[in-house]
């Protein structure tokens, strides 16, 4: 359910699922995690913030692949370049 909400840019549903204790690091069938999908594919800044605030893992995320500079900046100094 979380990956579907991320894919459809449904921030309210992502927020609800996180509040209900979903595994925000659960990968899809090809190993992509919700944070990777939001940051690098959909480019939804609000969802990236929600996932980061919920302590989603950044392991495996390639900052250069992030959709926008605004999203890269959310990851701190490493994300500014």
């Amino acid at each position: 359910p979380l990956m579907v909400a991320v894919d459809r840019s449904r921030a309210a549903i992502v927020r609800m699922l996180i509040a209900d204790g979903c595994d925000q690091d659960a990968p899809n069938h090809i190993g992509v995690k919700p944070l990777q999908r939001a940051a690098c594919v959909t480019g939804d800044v609000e969802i990236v913030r929600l996932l980061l605030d919920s302590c989603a893992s950044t392991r495996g995320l390639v900052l250069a692949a992030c959709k926008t500079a605004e999203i890269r900046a959310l990851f701190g100094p490493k994300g500014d370049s």
Side-chain angles (χ1 to χ4, degrees), residues 36 39-40 58-67 71-72 75:
Q36 293 169 314
C40 303
T58 59
R59 181 179 295 198
L61 182 70
V62 177
L63 290 178
C66 290
K67 199 87 163 157
I71 289 173
R72 286 189 295 276
F75 293 91

Side-chain angles (χ1 to χ4, degrees), residues 49-68:
R49 281 190 183 118
L50 287 169
L51 291 167
L52 287 173
D53 289 348
S54 72
C55 298
S57 173
T58 59
R59 181 179 295 198
L61 182 70
V62 177
L63 290 178
C66 290
K67 199 87 163 157
T68 66

Side-chain angles (χ1 to χ4, degrees), residues 8-29:
R8 295 182 182 171
S9 294
R10 306 291 182 146
I13 295 173
V14 169
R15 187 179 295 106
M16 180 193 69
L17 290 168
I18 290 170
D20 284 346
C22 76
D23 180 359
Q24 67 267 22
D25 291 322
N28 65 10
H29 65 286

